[in-house]
Amino acid sequence: MVTSDKRVRIFTGHYGSGKTEFSINYVTKLRQMTERKVAIADLDIVNVYFRSREKKAEMEEMGIRVISSSLEGAGLDVPAVSGAMTMPVTNKEYEYVVDLGGNDVGTKVLARMKPLLDPAETDFFMVVNTYRPNTSTPEGVIMQMENLECAAGLKVTGFINNANLVRETTASCLLEGDAILREVTKRTGVPVKYVSYVEEVMTEDVPSGLAGELFPMKLNMRKAWM
């Protein structure tokens, strides 16, 4: 599963895709499945509402190195990132997860890191929620993918089907997202790597035969009232 992905995993996605929630669940699972050093970088300077740095204390307690803003303070709305973001790229002792900002603006922070990235050890995953307006059709997903690729200078290596309506998510949501992403794969050749869903929300059986590996998650970023 997560241990078979390339050493540097960069997660991006359009606004509202659920990228940060997936990134935190992913790095937590990675920590549980490897004895190697694990780090996550919060490079999201676009969305100020849900940021992986907000869970810094919990992740560090698990032994995950958290790289975030060069200015301390989880509640600060300052588009600053730490120069330490390049360290786990060059230090091959680390398994590295990057929570990148959404849309083409957010991916521009990769400029400092990109010259150091080896394509042979880098995955550029796009998290897709087909219930968001700009990624609700195959054409929309492809347009956003191309925008992200152009801004990042990297090619998407896999999709994460994160079709959801938060606590209103049903099995049919995953099926509808699967149909859209299968069409995207048909047109682009980019595979679906994971199908994510929140265990406490999904009251029905997860459909079989979905494209991608099933990836059960826990809600970390949303309070009970959200």
Side-chain angles (χ1 to χ4, degrees):
M1 200 179 195
V2 298
T3 53
S4 64
D5 293 331
K6 294 179 181 178
R7 186 179 70 83
V8 179
R9 299 93 157 160
I10 301 172
F11 292 99
T12 188
H14 196 64
Y15 182 80
S17 64
K19 166 188 57 63
T20 292
E21 188 71 83
F22 185 86
S23 297
I24 291 176
N25 275 273
Y26 184 100
V27 78
T28 299
K29 193 178 295 290
L30 182 61
R31 172 71 284 166
Q32 295 168 347
M33 297 180 69
T34 182
E35 296 182 359
R36 288 166 54 81
K37 295 178 180 179
V38 175
I40 182 172
D42 177 1
L43 302 187
D44 191 344
I45 61 172
V46 176
N47 184 1
V48 301
Y49 298 107
F50 300 107
R51 295 181 286 199
S52 50
R53 72 187 72 170
E54 296 172 19
K55 297 298 177 180
K56 181 176 181 178
E58 293 90 332
M59 288 191 285
E60 288 184 339
E61 189 174 337
M62 288 184 273
I64 299 168
R65 176 162 182 172
V66 180
I67 299 168
S68 56
S69 174
S70 54
L71 302 175
E72 290 296 326
L76 291 177
D77 180 13
V78 180
V81 296
S82 172
M85 69 181 184
T86 61
M87 183 278 295
V89 176
T90 56
N91 187 339
K92 296 183 184 295
E93 295 180 359
Y94 278 90
E95 298 289 323
Y96 196 20
V97 173
V98 177
D99 178 10
L100 191 62
N103 72 36
D104 54 342
V105 174
T107 59
K108 290 180 179 178
V109 300
L110 274 184
R112 184 170 181 175
M113 186 188 296
K114 187 177 179 297
L116 304 174
L117 293 173
D118 179 357
E121 61 174 16
T122 304
D123 270 318
F124 188 49
F125 291 125
M126 180 179 175
V127 182
V128 180
N129 180 3
T130 53
Y131 287 93
R132 300 297 297 180
N134 291 299
T135 51
S136 60
T137 64
E139 293 77 15
V141 175
I142 293 171
M143 178 179 293
Q144 295 304 321
M145 179 188 77
E146 291 175 345
N147 289 342
L148 292 167
E149 289 179 334
C150 181
L154 298 170
K155 290 293 185 181
V156 171
T157 58
F159 296 111
I160 288 88
N161 174 7
N162 191 43
N164 75 89
L165 294 169
V166 193
R167 290 184 171 82
E168 303 300 318
T169 304
T170 64
S172 65
C173 294
L174 298 182
L175 288 169
E176 291 175 11
D178 183 73
I180 291 171
L181 286 177
R182 281 181 185 272
E183 180 61 25
V184 174
T185 295
K186 180 179 177 181
R187 298 185 192 182
T188 66
V190 179
V192 177
K193 187 60 194 287
Y194 296 109
V195 183
S196 55
Y197 60 95
V198 178
E199 293 179 289
E200 65 190 80
V201 169
M202 188 66 64
T203 57
E204 307 168 287
D205 290 336
V206 176
S208 60
L210 297 173
E213 298 178 47
L214 296 181
F215 195 100
M217 301 195 301
K218 298 184 183 301
L219 279 177
N220 292 288
M221 302 308 298
R222 287 183 176 270
K223 307 296 185 184
W225 53 268
M226 298 176 76

